[in-house]
């Protein structure tokens, strides 16, 4: 199958959605001539014009509000927040407006919008351009949260998000933009709320999100050589969360490790661990359920410090190995 | 001095009287709301717009069916002025399943989405950025609609106000920014909250027209909003209309009104927008009293409807969280 980068796959989802549906449009900072800070929308201005590829002033609350108002009145806007960090400036609109409008109005309105934003560290962008804030949104009823790890999922999930009738926070990862993978040319959707077993194994279950899926895959290769077979599950959609494959996997392996880049305290991993131990999988556990996540610190600028602030392949190897060997 | 043209001549009797009836209905609704609260029949708080009726009715009358409304939480009057159904309003106020929002929204969040009333907002200025999106949507869909977003003087000091007016201006969006300056953001007087005379002066920062009108004079409000709507429909972009008015009651039910004097309130009560308008119509006190009684009777019917309506079923709490 043809290969595309993660960024190209997102662009193709946008292009195909906009071509097929006049209600879909994009709005964000520097998405036009500049092509987006990470080049995701490159070329779309020439194809769709200024009316549908809307460059905005530096106004993140305004971008979110523009999406909400358009979505309420029949459009399917796709907003871009240049760095996930800047979504802090849109929070009122997202949390108190987008997420609640339908409920507050007795289910009589809908807000079909997507807000895309790149999160994550690893680019030397330091503390204010490297955040992983996805769990803030997981905590808000009315929002959906999507976090693809492959080009295939990025395209399919974005199309599903665009056609979902709810506000969807779509979290991309800066380090994933250039990664490649097979992507079908035709338009397709990956349904929201379906976890995926991306590698099968009998010894340890690893639940990983976004770029941590790739690192877990690398760790699994190393561990396989040692005879430790890791099963990896990518939730893909953090909310709604499909726990079934995770619970089934833990019943098989009896050992679980949750890996994400965001800070551990209050992070998504805590939720996954709780759901595992609240489920029937509890009876099958051979070891404590573990989490590997970002340190409780802002992302430092220095390359070495930055590297050691979030989980890396070797950390996952060590953590999974100790679980498999019964050292915990 | 030229003689002021009679509204009855300009509008015809039916339209002119309807405006008065709407104002009376709003006043009666809110006085009843206050009474129900005092009787302990209301679960939450409320924000009354008594004294601001002309500002709501004059603005709504200047717009057309199909136009959009966004407003904020002193919004009973806006919803009724927009043509809202009194029964559904009262049922919502009492938290009943038959209310506009099935009892989920309450006083602060009444919406009538079918009538393009996109709802009242409990966050000061929360609807102001949303107006950009509605305006953008109208522009992309190439319809002749406009959106009016009604907010208070307090919202004009929110950062989102700046983002919204700027964006609507650069894209010539059909938005009417309608600021009801009722002199206080809760307890903070406008004169202490900004260093300019008129909120409408801020329009010049966005390169759009800004006008201030006497918000207690229904006809002035109507004319200003009509002009803004015409400009918006012509593709010439947004206008900031400041409507000077005054809330007779406190900010909400917890307000002891220590920040203003009784004399000040009394002075403004002399400018009662309903009496002023009735006088301009040349109505007798008797006729006004009759119309007022009619409004009160209608409100009693609404209360009866609301009280007889069922409570929402506890098993439906999760309905409407997601589409």
């Amino acid at each position: 199958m043809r290969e595309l980068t993660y960024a190209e796959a997102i662009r193709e989802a946008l292009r195909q959605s906009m071509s097929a549906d006049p209600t879909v449009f994009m709005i964000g900072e520097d998405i036009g001539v500049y092509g987006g800070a990470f080049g995701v929308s490159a070329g779309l201005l020439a194809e769709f014009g200024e009316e549908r590829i809307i460059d905005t002033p530096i106004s993140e609350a305004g971008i979110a509000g523009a999406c909400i108002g358009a979505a309420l009145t029949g459009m399917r806007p796709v907003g871009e927040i240049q760095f996930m960090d800047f979504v802090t400036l849109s929070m009122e609109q997202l949390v108190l407006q987008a997420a609640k409008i339908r409920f507050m109005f007795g289910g009589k309105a809908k807000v079909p919008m997507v807000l895309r934003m790149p999160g994550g560290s690893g680019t030397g962008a330091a503390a204010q351009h490297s955040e992983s804030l996805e769990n803030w949104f997981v905590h808000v009823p009315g929002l959906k949260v999507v976090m693809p790890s492959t080009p295939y999922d990025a395209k399919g999930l974005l199309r599903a998000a665009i056609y979902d009738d709810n506000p969807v926070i779509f979290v991309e990862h800066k380090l994933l933009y250039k990664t490649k993978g097979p992507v079908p040319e035709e338009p397709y959707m990956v349904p929201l709320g379906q976890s995926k077993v991306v590698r099968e194994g009998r010894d340890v279950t690893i639940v990983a999100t976004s770029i941590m899926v790739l690192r877990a895959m690398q760790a699994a290769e190393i561990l396989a050589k040692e005879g430790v077979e890791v099963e990896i599950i990518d939730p893909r959609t953090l909310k709604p969360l499909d726990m079934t494959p995770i619970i089934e996997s833990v019943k098989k392996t009896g050992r679980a490790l949750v890996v994400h880049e965001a800070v551990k305290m209050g992070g998504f991993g805590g939720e996954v661990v709780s759901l595992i131990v609240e489920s029937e999988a509890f009876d099958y556990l051979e070891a404590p359920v573990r989490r590997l996540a970002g340190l409780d610190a802002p992302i430092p600028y220095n390359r070495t410090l930055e590297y050691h602030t979030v989980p890396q392949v070797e950390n996952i190897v060590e953590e999974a190995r100790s679980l498999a060997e019964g050292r915990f | 001095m030229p003689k002021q043209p009679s509204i009855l001549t300009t509008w015809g009797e039916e339209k002119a009287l309807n405006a008065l009836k709407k104002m009376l209905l709003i006043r009666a609704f809110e006085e009843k709301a206050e009474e129900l609260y005092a009787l302990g029949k209301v679960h939450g708080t409320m924000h009354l717009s008594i004294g601001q009726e002309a500002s709501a009715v004059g603005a709504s009358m200047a717009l057309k069916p199909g136009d959009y409304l966004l407003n904020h939480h002193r919004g009973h009057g806006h919803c009724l002025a927009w043509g809202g159904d009194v029964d559904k309003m009262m049922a919502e106020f009492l938290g009943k399943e038959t209310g506009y929002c099935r009892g989920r929204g309450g006083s602060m969040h009444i919406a009538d989405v079918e009538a393009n009333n996109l709802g009242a907002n409990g966050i000061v200025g929360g609807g102001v950025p949303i107006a950009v999106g509605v305006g953008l949507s109208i522009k992309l869909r190439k319809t002749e609609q406009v959106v009016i977003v009604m907010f208070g003087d307090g919202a004009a000091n929110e950062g989102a106000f700046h983002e919204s007016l700027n964006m609507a201006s650069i894209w010539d969006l059909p938005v009417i920014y309608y600021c009801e300056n009722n002199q206080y953001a809760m307890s903070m007087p406008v004169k202490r909250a900004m260093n300019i005379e008129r909120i409408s002066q801020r329009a010049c920062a966005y390169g759009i027209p800004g006008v201030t009108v006497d918000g207690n004079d229904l006809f002035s409000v109507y004319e200003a909003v009509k002009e803004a709507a015409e400009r918006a429909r012509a593709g010439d972009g947004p206008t900031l209309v400041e409507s000077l008015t005054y809330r007779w009651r406190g900010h909400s039910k917890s307000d002891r009104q220590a920040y203003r004097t009784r004399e000040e309130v009394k002075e403004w009560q002399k400018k009662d927008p309903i009496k002023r308008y009735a006088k301009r119509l040349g109505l007798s006190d008797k006729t006004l009293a009759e119309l007022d009684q009619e409004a009160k009777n209608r409100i009693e019917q609404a209360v009866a409807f609301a009280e007889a309506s069922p409570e929402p079923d506890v098993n439906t709490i999760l309905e409407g969280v997601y589409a």
Side-chain angles (χ1 to χ4, degrees):
Chain A
M1 195 190 290
R2 174 193 64 151
E3 292 214 325
L4 288 185
T5 66
Y6 186 89
E8 287 164 347
I10 292 168
R11 188 184 309 136
E12 189 163 273
L14 292 165
R15 178 186 290 123
Q16 289 177 346
S17 304
M18 281 196 286
S19 299
D21 185 343
T23 68
V24 180
F25 70 95
M26 285 184 71
I27 181 165
E29 293 159 7
D30 309 298
I31 63 169
V33 175
Y34 199 98
F38 294 91
V40 171
S41 54
L44 295 182
L45 177 65
E47 206 172 331
F48 296 100
E50 281 183 357
E51 206 172 57
R52 295 177 72 195
I53 305 293
I54 304 170
D55 266 331
T56 68
I58 310 303
S59 301
E60 287 80 9
I63 292 167
C67 289
I68 296 165
L72 270 172
T73 53
M75 307 297 282
R76 292 191 177 275
V78 181
E80 178 175 303
I81 297 293
Q82 197 161 71
F83 285 77
M84 189 181 203
D85 312 66
F86 310 160
V87 80
T88 52
L89 295 154
S90 321
M91 287 307 270
E92 184 277 322
Q93 287 290 302
L94 296 174
V95 177
L96 302 178
Q97 310 297 339
K100 292 178 173 50
I101 282 174
R102 180 176 177 80
F103 183 84
M104 287 194 309
F105 297 168
K108 294 174 186 171
K110 62 179 184 181
V111 189
M113 61 175 273
V114 180
L115 200 59
R116 298 175 37 245
M117 58 196 80
S121 66
T123 63
Q128 295 173 337
H129 292 73
S130 304
E131 288 272 23
S132 300
L133 301 175
E134 60 275 9
N135 213 43
W136 287 15
F137 301 105
V138 171
H139 198 60
V140 180
L143 298 180
K144 293 188 177 182
V145 183
V146 177
M147 220 172 166
S149 67
T150 66
Y152 178 90
D153 284 346
K155 177 176 169 181
L157 287 166
L158 181 54
R159 284 182 46 78
I162 289 170
Y163 287 99
D164 195 280
D165 279 339
N166 298 284
V168 180
I169 305 298
F170 195 87
V171 186
E172 299 162 13
H173 196 292
K174 300 176 202 88
L175 295 184
L176 289 175
Y177 280 134
K178 289 180 180 164
T179 59
K180 282 195 156 184
V183 179
E185 284 182 38
E186 72 273 10
Y188 62 93
M189 291 192 196
V190 172
L192 305 188
Q194 287 187 6
S195 296
K196 187 180 179 188
V197 179
V198 294
R199 181 188 172 105
E200 290 189 12
R202 60 173 190 273
D203 299 320
V204 179
T205 300
I206 296 183
V207 180
T209 60
S210 190
I211 192 156
M212 292 303 155
V213 177
L214 277 67
R215 291 185 188 161
M217 292 291 272
Q218 288 175 262
E221 291 296 321
I222 295 166
L223 288 161
K225 287 175 190 145
E226 301 174 10
V228 176
E229 290 299 333
V230 171
E231 181 146 299
I232 300 170
I233 298 169
D234 178 0
R236 305 191 291 187
T237 304
L238 275 50
K239 189 172 194 169
L241 173 60
D242 171 22
M243 279 300 289
T244 308
I246 297 170
I247 290 165
E248 288 310 310
S249 177
V250 177
K251 282 162 70 177
K252 179 173 70 176
T253 63
R255 294 174 166 85
L257 170 65
V258 185
V259 189
H260 58 65
E261 173 164 347
V263 169
K264 185 193 273 186
M265 174 67 85
F268 182 67
E271 194 59 41
V272 176
V273 171
S274 300
L275 289 165
I276 291 171
V277 300
E278 283 174 354
S279 78
E280 75 244 33
F282 181 76
D283 287 338
Y284 297 79
L285 287 174
E286 305 280 348
V289 185
R290 303 292 289 266
R291 286 179 294 161
L292 192 56
L295 297 181
D296 200 5
I299 300 295
Y301 168 66
N302 173 277
R303 186 191 295 272
T304 308
L305 297 185
E306 182 190 38
Y307 184 87
H308 288 283
T309 302
V310 303
Q312 301 297 341
V313 176
E314 57 271 26
N315 307 122
I316 301 172
V317 169
E318 172 53 32
E319 203 69 26
R321 187 193 283 140
S322 69
L323 268 177
E325 291 174 354
R327 295 183 286 111
F328 38 79
Chain B
M1 199 175 163
K3 206 179 164 217
Q4 204 173 23
S6 161
I7 295 174
L8 287 170
T9 313
T10 318
W11 283 356
E13 192 172 325
E14 194 187 345
K15 184 175 173 182
L17 274 180
N18 274 343
L20 179 65
K21 288 177 184 173
K22 279 261 170 70
M23 288 199 287
L24 289 167
L25 192 69
I26 294 169
R27 176 79 52 97
F29 181 92
E30 298 214 299
E31 284 176 350
K32 178 56 73 175
E34 201 170 28
E35 185 189 321
L36 292 171
Y37 186 91
L39 292 171
K41 291 189 177 180
V42 183
H43 175 54
T45 188
M46 62 194 171
H47 304 81
L48 301 176
S49 68
I50 294 173
Q52 303 182 192
E53 294 86 351
S55 180
V57 175
S60 293
M61 282 179 72
L63 299 171
K64 294 180 180 175
D67 289 339
Y68 290 104
L69 167 70
L70 289 157
N71 65 322
H72 290 78
H73 51 287
R74 200 172 303 288
H76 300 154
H78 303 147
C79 184
L80 287 169
W82 198 257
D85 178 85
V86 181
D87 291 341
K88 290 181 183 170
M89 287 272 299
M90 192 58 83
E92 189 59 33
F93 185 61
L94 293 186
K96 297 300 183 80
E97 181 67 29
T98 53
Y100 265 120
C101 306
R102 303 179 61 202
R104 273 72 170 173
S107 164
M108 277 196 278
H109 307 301
I110 295 177
D112 180 5
V113 180
E114 280 176 26
N116 286 357
N117 168 359
L118 301 176
N121 210 303
I123 303 301
V124 174
V128 178
I130 297 173
V132 171
V134 179
L136 203 52
S137 161
I138 294 168
K139 198 177 171 190
L140 289 167
R141 288 185 285 111
K142 300 181 171 47
T143 64
E144 301 269 293
Q145 297 159 292
V146 303
V147 52
I148 186 166
V149 54
M150 301 181 174
F151 51 94
D153 45 278
N157 287 331
E158 289 279 3
F161 171 87
H162 168 66
E163 292 189 19
S164 178
L165 270 76
N166 184 53
M167 289 166 97
S169 169
I170 58 173
W171 297 327
D172 291 326
L173 300 182
V175 184
I176 301 161
Y177 290 94
Y178 187 67
C179 179
E180 292 185 310
N181 177 355
N182 67 9
Q183 319 300 327
Y184 293 92
M186 205 157 153
S187 69
M188 186 70 166
V190 171
K191 56 182 179 290
R192 283 178 61 210
M194 52 185 75
N195 237 340
I196 49 174
E197 276 297 306
R198 295 278 177 247
I199 292 170
S200 61
Q201 286 172 258
R202 290 190 171 171
C204 75
Y206 308 103
I208 63 172
V211 292
T212 298
V213 292
D214 178 348
N216 282 14
D217 176 39
L218 187 135
F219 201 66
S220 300
V221 168
Y222 173 85
E223 287 290 308
V225 174
K226 191 160 168 275
E227 197 180 327
E230 279 163 8
R231 189 180 128 77
R233 263 186 250 282
D236 295 332
T239 302
L240 175 58
V241 179
E242 177 186 18
S243 164
L244 288 176
T245 183
Y246 195 84
R247 66 168 150 77
W248 292 7
R249 298 296 192 266
H251 163 71
S252 66
K253 292 316 294 177
S254 64
D255 186 354
R256 289 179 294 112
Q257 303 185 58
Y259 50 86
R260 64 183 186 184
T261 61
R262 279 178 173 281
E263 289 68 36
E264 182 185 294
V265 178
K266 278 182 186 157
E267 275 310 303
W268 273 94
Q269 284 174 339
K270 286 180 195 162
K271 303 178 202 167
D272 183 345
I274 295 178
K275 282 190 184 150
R276 267 177 77 179
Y277 183 72
K279 193 174 167 190
R280 197 159 163 190
L281 290 188
L283 289 189
S284 67
D285 287 351
K286 183 169 170 280
T287 311
L288 182 60
E290 281 167 10
L291 290 173
D292 187 35
Q293 193 54 51
E294 215 174 90
K296 286 184 166 122
N297 293 344
R298 180 66 190 89
I299 296 299
E300 287 305 331
Q301 285 172 21
V303 173
F305 170 81
E307 289 189 327
S309 290
E311 291 274 319
D313 180 349
V314 174
N315 296 315
T316 64
I317 291 176
L318 293 177
E319 283 180 11
V321 178
Y322 290 97

